[in-house]
Amino acid sequence: MSRDVAGLARLLDAGPLPARASLVIVGAGITGLSFARWLSALGLRDMLIVERAYPGAGATGRNVARLRAMQLTEELCHVAVAAQATYDRMGEELGFNVLFYRLGYLWALYEAEEMERMARAVEMHHRLGIDSRLLAPDDVLRLVPVFRGGDPLAGGVVHDDAIVHHDAVVWAHLEHLAATGRVRIASGTNVVGVARGDGGVRAVLTDRGRVETRHVLNAADAWSNALNGLAAVHAPNRPLRREVLVTAPVHRAIDKAVTFYRPTEGWFNQTLRGEVVMGVVDPDEPVGHDQRSSSDFLRRTARLMVRKAPGLADLTVIRQWAGMYDVTPDHLPLVGQTGQLEGWWQANGWSGRGMLLAPYLTRLLAERFMGAEPHPHLALFEPDRFVGTGDAGNGDEDYYARYARPRDATRR
């Protein structure tokens, strides 16, 4: 229950939209809420968040919020460590328990090539102060006994990584923003157009009226490309469905969040209440907006999980759902101000890392918005890096291969 009912009522007021705003943020997920939080702390007022459904309705409320510091490149590791530290402080800063806890993360490996690649990654992690460990097959089985009797493991990699509860994060931000009085959220509101003039943004047109503004943040994620299109801004993002299921609670026996990539990407972990959440990706998932879950997903997940982790075979599935990834060709987000339209800011294309990266990168973006020099970590996510490149591929290659390319292969 809210500790500031009146403040939340003002924040979520369903009355007429304001005639103008200092900034219009499109999307009330973790990205939009975080950006508003940091800008409020820097003194910006009269912000409007436009949300097509309700806060957290998109990817923010449809994921399992794993916060992994161990990545496959040094650049991403530096950013991920800082992002994880942002969550470590979040509950205290917002005065609300966001259920951040270090469950631990394990990469299950099935091929010698994976072991060789990850041995190099672990060496890199250690140079950066990330104490990941390469494991032999027996070590993996001791840590995650449900693998016993399944496909032979080549080994694994483990690190003390974290999970957070997405609903708690959303609610913490809503309460914080309500207390500031500097933001309003217009739920159930669709953007239908963008007015341009003299090379810059002049207004956002919605199905509830026009809002004059010189600045817009596109935080619509899976719907970001459609919004960019209304502004005649080019970005190669693609929406892809990802599905999840959850089982009835059982005795806690899985002490790590587990992911594997061979032969098909899949993952599972056990919640604090004992449910097991899991999923296996469809490598042929078509591009498009589809938040329905499917019987094909249930069959695919059950078949592969039982083969790899027989200890999961007798669990009872009670619910499944789907959400959207907003995927860029290099699987890295677009974060910054585009040069294509003055006043148009991007924070989208998270490619499955939005819960991890958004609270940290929106802080850097907010500082930039208020006139600070760009932080070096933003350089990796420059929003116009695909302009003139023919979009540099479609992002469908093997997970490891995405990060093996030279970093400038997708840049202008």
Side-chain angles (χ1 to χ4, degrees), residues 161-289:
D161 276 325
I163 283 182
V164 72
H165 198 286
H166 54 82
D167 288 337
V169 171
V170 169
W171 196 257
H173 279 80
L174 291 177
E175 285 218 340
H176 177 81
L177 292 174
T180 70
R182 295 179 172 182
V183 185
R184 182 176 158 197
I185 298 176
S187 298
T189 304
N190 292 295
V191 176
V192 297
V194 175
R196 300 170 53 124
D198 300 326
V201 175
R202 290 297 174 268
V204 171
L205 314 178
T206 80
D207 56 4
R208 294 176 54 198
R210 177 185 176 112
V211 181
E212 302 290 330
T213 188
R214 302 298 293 271
H215 300 282
V216 174
L217 176 75
N218 182 349
D221 214 43
W223 287 266
S224 67
N225 218 355
L227 182 62
N228 280 327
L230 293 176
V233 170
H234 172 76
N237 306 23
R238 305 178 307 147
L240 287 175
R241 177 174 63 171
R242 290 292 181 261
E243 301 180 70
V244 186
L245 64 80
V246 63
T247 74
V250 293
H251 176 74
R252 280 186 54 80
I254 305 171
D255 291 331
K256 296 289 180 286
V258 175
T259 295
F260 51 83
Y261 291 101
R262 300 286 176 85
T264 304
E265 181 180 348
W267 54 270
F268 61 89
N269 60 266
Q270 193 166 20
T271 71
L272 294 172
R273 295 184 298 188
E275 305 105 327
V276 179
V277 292
M278 64 180 79
V280 171
V281 171
D282 180 0
D284 298 318
E285 182 69 48
V287 173
H289 298 100

Side-chain angles (χ1 to χ4, degrees), residues 3 17 36 86-87 94 103 148 156 212 270:
R3 295 162 292 184
L17 297 185
T86 299
Y87 273 101
L94 297 182
L103 175 66
R148 293 189 183 279
E212 302 290 330
Q270 193 166 20

Side-chain angles (χ1 to χ4, degrees), residues 267-328:
W267 54 270
F268 61 89
N269 60 266
Q270 193 166 20
T271 71
L272 294 172
R273 295 184 298 188
E275 305 105 327
V276 179
V277 292
M278 64 180 79
V280 171
V281 171
D282 180 0
D284 298 318
E285 182 69 48
V287 173
H289 298 100
D290 186 357
Q291 294 194 123
R292 300 169 299 174
S293 199
S294 64
S295 56
D296 285 344
F297 163 74
L298 180 60
R299 287 191 293 267
R300 179 174 66 251
T301 300
R303 184 167 55 246
L304 189 55
M305 288 296 178
V306 169
R307 199 182 93 194
K308 287 183 173 293
L312 302 176
D314 294 330
L315 299 181
T316 301
V317 176
I318 59 173
R319 187 164 63 96
Q320 61 185 80
W321 67 94
M324 306 299 301
Y325 276 15
D326 188 31
V327 181
T328 64

Side-chain angles (χ1 to χ4, degrees), residues 63-74:
N63 71 88
V64 292
R66 295 173 167 201
L67 308 177
R68 172 163 57 90
M70 58 173 188
Q71 302 285 335
L72 290 183
T73 70
E74 289 198 20

